[in-house]
Amino acid sequence: MSHPSPGAVLKAVSKGRGGIHVAHNKITAESETVRMPPPRTVVLPMQQHIGAPCTPTVKKGDHVDVGQVIGDSDKYVSAPIHASVSGTVTAVADVKLANGRMAPAVTIESDGLMTRWEGIAPPKVTDKAELIAAIRASGLVGLGGAGFPSHVKLNTPEDKPIDTLIINAAECEPYITVDYRECLENSWNIMGAVYTLADLLKVPNVVIAVEDNKPEAIRVLQSIADDDNNRGDTVKLMTLKSRYPQGAEKMMVLSATGRRVPAGGLPADVGCIVMNVASAAFVSRYLKTGKPLTSRSVTVSGDCIKNPMNVRVPIGTSVREIIDFCGGFTEEPYKILSGGPMMGQALVSTDVPLLKSNNAVLAFSKRGAGLKANRDCIRCGRCHEACPMGLIPTQIVKYANKRDAEELSKLGVSVCMECGSCAFSCPANEPLVQYMRLAKEIMREAGVK
Amino acid sequence: MNEPAKLTVSASPHVKGPATVTGIMFDVIIALCPAAIASVAIFGLRAALVIAVCTASCVAFEYLSRRIMKRSSTIGDLSAVVTGVLLAFNLPVGIPLWMCVIGSFVAIVIVKQLFGGVGQNFANPAITARIVLLVSFASAMTNFPLPKSVDAVASATPLATLAGFDRTADLTGQIDLYRAADKLPSFFQMIFGVRQGCLGETCAVALLIGAAYLIVRGVIKITIPFTYIGTVAVFMLIASRGDLTYTAYELMGGGLILGAFFMATDYTTSPVNTKGKIVFGIGCGVLTSVIRLYGSLPEGVSYSILLMNIACPLIEKATAPAYFGFVKKKKEKKPKEEKAEGGAKA
Ligand code: SF4
Ligand code: SF4
């Protein structure tokens, strides 16, 4: 990548990258994050991340304080779970999750005091190994929605030198504004994280990426990027054309460095680490205070929510209580999502807990998210044009119907990130993302990569 | 708050873009309107009758065949209307109306629905129907009445006339000679379609207006028409040793413009990827030129498109685009790739 003079803003190319224009609907952008009072109970599922589930370390009747570990695993790819309120453990049992599946969880009845656990102390971090250990202990997972344990992401192998750290503030999903608010409200934490991570991980370049429809955030982040006097020109701001899914990891890496993450590979394979801006800000706060991940910001929005806003919520709070806090519904909702409209998960009920990786709760009426009847594919090619990964969804559908794992593999199904751009563009309303999942399933069953 | 009574659960994404099949087909119909109006202006009200009969019978066959096959009705997507209009455009104005109905039957029932409906047929319905009619009723299909406003004696289409020319001699001279004898339309008449031919193919201006609309609306890409017409132009320029008048007559004299913009771009029977589109367009162009220059037929657009339709799946396979992060498994080229990588890092 070419390095422009200090203070210059990199402009990412977006031509020929697929993607779609989708209405931003960032109605909560100007709403300052409100802290929600402690809920009566929280439900903390033992798996809120990609990787091995945790085992509860508390039992019914135990008293816990905020920040106390209540679940952990001895596996590396996992992240401990901490109590998000102080109070009494009332159950260690299976609960229903957002996707309708049952999973073990710890339920805590809040005493309303939010007493901080006495064991909380800033971690001592002087090198990469200590940083990784500290981040694992913090329970941090990707706050942008993926939920991948952050310490695994940052702990890149020695044989893959990292030269660029990308702080992802693109937030290309419609409606969601938590990262945007993070930029405005916690810019100093972001800056702190940038320097700490760059120093400890020995990364020479940092790129902060933001979509060009967020001028306020650009202004704030620019001042961060400029404030690196005695560091030379290590931190740069990059604006992306607001086009979904510019914020996807592989797209970010391509925009910032011109490199393409190989199929089946990770950004580290091309010398990059991508970190969500809220996750980065959390790292900085955690290193200062030692307070683990027990709360997070969520955007509560959609046309059925009375008072759309950004709320800081203890993890494990039920979606129902969060919506109540925002004034409840204006009308009977048709669909409630955890996450954004493009990649979010439709909830079977509001009686489910908010997880670490959930960045939004959106409630829509039929007008906003009504289903359209699906017709036969007309082979118009719009799905292919929209696919940022250059896949041809219409052909994948064809071979998925034939259950032809070999052809599916040749078509590159595995690089599909389920961003939904194809299905968004499809005039026939083919459920393309479902087909992508089916195709992956067929390949998994057949054992082909 | 009460738990909402019933929440809908479906796979992401939960928002949809504005494109619909009906909307796309409606755009195509709009784009065909200028040429339809031109055809009535040029050939009289019977053109409208042929268009109406073809369209009505296509829609009726679509409805009935779906009914009989116990499938959901698809007439609402308007694709049968598009097929009907395109079929009419490919027929001479004097065609007996019962032949229109047979053509519609071939297009909708045999080519489209028996293969599973929209998106499944391997050949363009209107083109296949035209060819079937051409083979079955050759004289009715090649009896091209003169435009109403012309009182010339010519009895052949411009392309048929051009096919009789001596390409080793001065072509513009020959054209001028024929023009003086009223055996060829003037250049001006060619552009506005006042010539013999199928009813929708003659008016270049009207077709181009419609095509521009489709391109602006994003319904079609210019790739196939551009490569198709471009290839024919190159062939004709070479064959005529650079004679621009002859080339222009060749480009406007038959069904090339109609075929390139409205038939070769048919979604179902042309490749979805850009490289495939280029190969497809060039292939159509080469075939059309070869048929016109060396074949026994004066026109070759329908046959070329049909042949390329059949080759489409092969082309798509051969030109499959590399997906993001695709890594070649073979060792060859490795050093070069590494260099490019290094360049990106520098
Ligand atoms: S966008 Fe939909 S209709 Fe068009 S080719 Fe893709 S799957 Fe088929
Ligand atoms: S969901 Fe998959 S196939 Fe569809 S556009 Fe996104 S990456 Fe491409």
Side-chain angles (χ1 to χ4, degrees), chain B residues 7-19:
Chain B
L7 288 175
T8 309
V9 178
S10 61
S12 60
H14 307 282
V15 282
K16 297 283 309 183

Side-chain angles (χ1 to χ4, degrees), chain A residues 197-215:
Chain A
L197 291 172
D199 286 349
L200 292 173
L201 301 173
K202 303 203 171 48
V203 181
N205 298 305
V206 182
V207 176
I208 306 177
V210 62
E211 283 197 326
D212 61 5
N213 61 348
K214 304 183 180 79

Side-chain angles (χ1 to χ4, degrees), chain B residues 96-119:
Chain B
L97 295 179
W98 59 270
M99 286 187 198
C100 296
V101 178
I102 291 185
S104 304
F105 179 82
V106 172
I108 295 293
V109 180
I110 296 186
V111 183
K112 189 175 167 195
Q113 291 303 343
L114 283 187
F115 284 93
V118 71

Side-chain angles (χ1 to χ4, degrees), chain A residues 380 382 385, chain B residues 24 27 211-221 267:
Chain A
C380 66
R382 280 171 176 74
E385 276 157 44
Chain B
I24 291 169
D27 269 341
Y213 175 79
L214 285 187
I215 290 165
V216 170
R217 296 279 294 166
V219 174
I220 61 167
K221 296 252 155 359
Y267 288 150

Side-chain angles (χ1 to χ4, degrees), chain A residues 383 386-389 391 393 396 415-423 433 436:
Chain A
C383 48
C387 180
M389 295 284 114
L391 300 175
I396 294 172
V415 301
C416 168
M417 53 188 176
E418 296 174 21
C419 69
S421 302
C422 50
V433 174
M436 295 303 137

Side-chain angles (χ1 to χ4, degrees), chain B residues 131 138 192 262 340:
Chain B
I131 290 174
F192 286 94
F262 292 93

